Amino acid sequence: MSINKTYLSVLHMMNVSLEEEIKLFWEYVKRNAAARSKGNRMPTQPIKLYYLPPSPPCRSVMMTARALGIDLELVLTNIMEGQHKTPEYIKMNPQHTIPTMDDNGFILWESRAIMSYFVNAYGRDDSLYPRNPRQRALVDQRLNFDLGTLYKRYMDLYVPMLFKGEAYNDEAAEKLNEALDWLNIMLGGRAFVAGDNLTIADISIVVTLSNLEAFGFDYSAHENVVKWFERTKKTLEPYGYAEIDQGGAHILASFLKKE
């Protein structure tokens, strides 16, 4: 704990006794600690999450909630049946995407934004999304790499196969391998994608790797990725990895096999 030098200086100017000075200072510390604790209270009611179990972004949000101890009210939203295009849903989220969350009237979509919000609003500490500007910037960079490069290239390869019945595209697979190679380089000398501790960037990226594993994509040439994947799976096991992420990936893989 860092000592507030300004507050101590004020006490010195008041010319109070040392005993009284210590007493007043600790009362100040307790008030501030209580204020910080109040700022990170758990939600007063479960947060509604509109989701579909195999959806990769939904899975990352659900594991983040588990890691933080946040209760969710899961609202099954079957996009295959158009449940995300009802007037009520579009009023809530004009992009009609999943996941979408409703935290007592505060509506938010985009999985990475939801994950960041969960940590900022309800995290007991900042380990999953550090407040340090440089550490947070690195987490943000990894999240953007996943969104704009790794996950996108995964989608470029598998969405045409899953939803259009198209054949395996070697060029798209090569592009995905290139992204995995970049991730492999980023992991050099690091236990996790943004440092030595698990962050929401790992929870976002692990979902993509879980899908690749379920689909049988060969990523074994990327040694750092292989080691990180096993380490991250083990770390997330207490937070529903097998049930939420692995289970959801296997559902997606079953769709691919049907084709």
Side-chain angles (χ1 to χ4, degrees), residues 14 63 72 77 79 105-106 124 133 189 195 219 224 226 245 258:
M14 292 170 62
M63 286 193 291
L72 298 177
T77 307
I79 60 175
F106 176 60
R124 294 181 182 88
Y219 53 86
N224 292 335
V226 172
D245 194 24
K258 286 177 184 177

Side-chain angles (χ1 to χ4, degrees), residues 26-236:
W26 281 111
E27 285 178 358
Y28 165 81
V29 170
K30 286 188 284 185
R31 284 198 306 272
N32 277 271
R36 286 194 299 272
S37 175
K38 185 177 180 181
N40 284 326
R41 291 181 304 183
M42 286 293 105
T44 55
Q45 59 190 32
I47 296 174
K48 284 185 180 179
L49 185 72
Y50 296 83
Y51 86 117
L52 193 64
S55 161
C58 293
R59 284 149 44 195
S60 61
V61 168
M62 292 165 68
M63 286 193 291
T64 301
R66 284 273 186 98
L68 294 168
I70 297 172
D71 290 331
L72 298 177
E73 179 186 337
L74 298 174
V75 183
L76 187 64
T77 307
N78 193 335
I79 60 175
M80 310 303 289
E81 296 179 358
Q83 293 178 356
H84 62 313
K85 291 187 177 180
T86 64
E88 294 81 11
Y89 198 94
I90 291 174
K91 182 179 179 181
M92 175 177 64
N93 174 355
Q95 288 185 274
H96 49 82
T97 55
I98 56 171
T100 296
M101 63 141 242
D102 178 354
D103 184 6
N104 197 25
F106 176 60
I107 310 297
L108 191 65
W109 58 94
E110 295 293 346
S111 62
R112 294 159 188 83
I114 296 172
M115 295 161 73
S116 302
Y117 168 74
F118 279 177
V119 180
N120 288 332
Y122 301 117
R124 294 181 182 88
D125 55 47
D126 68 342
S127 59
L128 286 177
Y129 194 39
R131 293 188 183 93
N132 177 279
R134 292 189 177 186
Q135 292 175 359
R136 176 164 288 201
L138 199 57
V139 173
D140 288 338
Q141 186 273 324
R142 301 305 198 241
L143 288 169
N144 282 286
F145 166 75
D146 184 38
L147 175 63
T149 303
L150 181 62
Y151 185 68
K152 180 184 181 301
R153 293 188 181 191
Y154 149 80
M155 294 278 281
D156 289 344
L157 175 60
Y158 283 105
V159 165
M161 296 170 65
L162 282 166
F163 300 108
K164 298 179 183 178
E166 295 184 10
Y168 188 88
N169 185 317
D170 288 327
E171 184 178 347
E174 192 174 321
K175 286 285 189 181
L176 177 55
N177 255 316
E178 182 182 44
L180 286 168
D181 191 46
W182 291 333
L183 177 61
N184 196 68
I185 294 169
M186 293 176 200
L187 282 163
R190 290 188 171 95
F192 295 97
V193 296
D196 295 327
N197 302 307
L198 181 86
T199 67
I200 57 174
D202 297 282
I203 302 176
S204 181
I205 293 174
V206 79
V207 171
T208 303
L209 266 293
S210 297
N211 287 349
L212 296 182
E213 181 183 53
F215 291 162
F217 186 88
D218 183 9
Y219 53 86
S220 60
H222 310 287
E223 184 179 354
N224 292 335
V225 172
V226 172
K227 291 178 179 178
W228 163 83
F229 187 35
E230 293 305 314
R231 184 181 303 116
T232 304
K233 286 194 287 186
K234 185 175 181 181
T235 304
L236 287 172

